């Protein structure tokens, strides 16, 4: 069974449909990168998977369980599919350690000491063992995003969704975040990554999806889609963003 | 000045009875206005349309009526409907209701000042509405709401003098009664003003201290 499955998803804001009949599935351990121009619906698609947005048509299932914002199971689904945001969205009134431990302690009701120990390990793993007591305001953007990744991992998710995790970062801080994501991929974490980092997509992704105007235009292994795109819209997009 | 000081021991004990009622009415109304204000604010941000609409309507109505009329209504009209309250009870309830819209707006502004990303992050780790409010939104909203909350309390302290219109002998009425029987207007009203200041200044100071502490805690 696929970890994440989207069948014929349609999503509208008011009268405007922004996702048109999108279907794809993500298997366990797979890294899927979603690329596409700004406004093409990449964030909206991720947010539908996580139940942060409702959708009007089709069906999304996580581990076979239907995602719908109205149902009570949505909170269950959200604890299994974590999300990393472009703007980090750390809790500013809590330390790095508290940010990571918040969900496991208060949502999943796991034993406090055990969670704190695990959270320290996770922060060490993303290279922030020395910053566990720092507040978000005391951390650089790259450090904050790594805390956010540790927070996602703290939930022991089946998959992590990344929405342009490096887009809000100064260029010199992008590498440290991508390195952490790369190591997660190496360890077999299932990931869906919306990104403009074509180097990352090429080297880490198992599959790349190109989204344009709310339509899933083309998908394939990075070697194919990024080097020999079949669709003219994909070719056009890649020509514009890749240095020739 | 010597005249003033010589009369203080005579008048102060009588005025202190007024201070007692002023503090009682202010604190009572403050607690009630806070509770009601929280209810209105939560209704408004609940995302449930009928609740939000009801709260908005209540706020518009209460804010459109002068506090003094609300007091009259509760003290003079409710007995006709079979509900008799003492003057102090009526003052606390009336001022509590009259101030609840201001409290509601203070809390709502605080809640809405928090970035939407905070809500999304909380939801994405599986929090429900209760945890989201308690663990994420309110701790941050309090920092935003505290300064206007404190100044609302100072306003309420001063407006507690409205209770005099329904016969509560709080500080201002006590002063007026004392002045009309002794004709020592200057002494008495100076004392009354100083007593109000003695209550409001520590409040203001406490408020800025809290604010500073909250800022450091970040
Ligand atoms: N909350 C919203 N209300 C109305 N329109 C929205 C909202 N969020 C996104 N959109 C619209 O949906 C489309 C897709 O947006 P988005 O998913 O953010 O694109 P991307 O992440 O690919 O840049 C855009 O046209 C955007 O204007
Ligand atoms: Mg986006």
């Amino acid at each position: 069974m696929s970890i994440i499955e989207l069948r014929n998803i349609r999503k509208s804001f008011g009268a405007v449909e922004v996702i048109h009949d999108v279907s794809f599935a993500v298997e366990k351990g797979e890294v899927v990168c979603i690329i596409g121009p700004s406004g093409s619906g990449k964030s909206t698609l991720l947010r539908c998977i996580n139940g942060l947005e409702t959708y009007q048509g089709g069906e999304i299932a996580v581990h076979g369980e239907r995602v719908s914002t109205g149902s009570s199971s949505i909170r269950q689904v959200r604890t299994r599919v974590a999300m990393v945001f472009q703007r980090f969205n750390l809790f500013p009134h809590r330390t790095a350690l508290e940010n990571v431990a918040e969900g496991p302690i208060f949502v999943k009701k796991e034993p406090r000491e055990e969670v704190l120990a695990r959270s320290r390990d996770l922060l060490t793993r993303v290279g922030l063992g020395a910053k566990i007591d720092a507040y978000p305001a005391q951390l650089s953007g790259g450090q904050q995003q790594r805390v956010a990744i540790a927070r996602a991992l703290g939930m022991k998710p089946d998959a992590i969704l990344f929405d342009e995790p490096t887009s809000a970062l100064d260029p010199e801080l992008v590498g440290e975040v991508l390195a952490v994501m790369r190591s997660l991929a190496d360890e077999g974490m299932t990931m869906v990554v919306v990104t403009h980092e074509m180097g990352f997509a090429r080297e880490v992704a198992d599959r790349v999806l190109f989204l344009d105007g709310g339509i899933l235009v083309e998908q394939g292994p990075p070697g194919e889609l990024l080097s020999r795109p079949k669709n003219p819209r994909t070719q056009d997009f890649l020509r514009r963003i890749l240095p020739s | 000045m010597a005249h003033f000081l010589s009369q203080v021991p005579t008048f102060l004990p009588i005025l202190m009875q007024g201070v007692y009622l002023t503090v009682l009415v202010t604190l009572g109304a403050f607690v009630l206005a806070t509770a009601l204000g929280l209810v209105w604010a939560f209704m408004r941000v609940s995302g449930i349309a009928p609740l939000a609409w009801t709260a908005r309507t209540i706020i518009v109505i209460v804010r459109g009526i002068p506090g003094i009329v609300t007091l009259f209504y509760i003290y003079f009209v409710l007995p006709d409907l079979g509900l008799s309250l003492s003057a102090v009870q009526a003052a606390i309830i009336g001022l509590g209701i009259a101030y609840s819209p201001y409290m509601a707006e203070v809390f709502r502004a605080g809640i809405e000042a928090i970035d939407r990303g905070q809500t999304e992050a909380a939801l994405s780790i599986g929090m429900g509405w209760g945890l989201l409010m308690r663990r994420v939104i309110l701790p941050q909203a309090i920092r935003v709401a505290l300064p206007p909350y404190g100044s609302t309390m100072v306003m309420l302290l001063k407006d507690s003098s409205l209770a005099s219109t329904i016969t509560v002998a709080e500080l201002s009425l006590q002063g007026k009664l004392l002045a009309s029987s002794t004709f020592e207007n200057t002494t008495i009203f100076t004392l009354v003003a100083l007593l109000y200041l003695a209550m409001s200044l520590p409040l203001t100071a406490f408020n800025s201290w809290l604010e500073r502490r909250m800022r450091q805690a970040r």
Side-chain angles (χ1 to χ4, degrees), chain B residues 31-69:
Chain B
V31 169
L32 181 62
T34 300
L36 288 175
L38 276 175
V39 172
W40 309 152
F42 279 139
M43 284 167 76
R44 287 205 61 175
V45 302
S46 65
I48 302 167
L51 285 186
W53 185 87
T54 307
R56 220 169 23 239
T57 309
I58 292 172
I59 288 174
V60 167
I61 291 174
V62 175
R63 241 197 332 212
I65 300 172
I68 195 168
V69 176

Side-chain angles (χ1 to χ4, degrees), chain A residues 220-243:
Chain A
E224 270 171 41
L225 188 127
L226 296 177
S227 307
R228 298 178 298 281
K230 297 187 189 73
N231 192 292
R233 283 161 83 174
T234 319
Q235 294 165 359
D236 189 49
F237 172 74
L238 289 173
R239 226 186 345 266
R240 272 184 286 123
I241 68 157
L242 288 178

Side-chain angles (χ1 to χ4, degrees), chain A residues 39 41-44 86 163-164 194:
Chain A
K42 306 180 297 295
S43 298
T44 305
Q86 184 173 350
D163 189 3
E164 299 197 34
V194 170

Side-chain angles (χ1 to χ4, degrees), chain A residues 13 18 37-45 53 163-164:
Chain A
F13 287 109
V18 297
S38 167
S40 57
K42 306 180 297 295
S43 298
T44 305
L45 207 53
E53 297 279 3
D163 189 3
E164 299 197 34

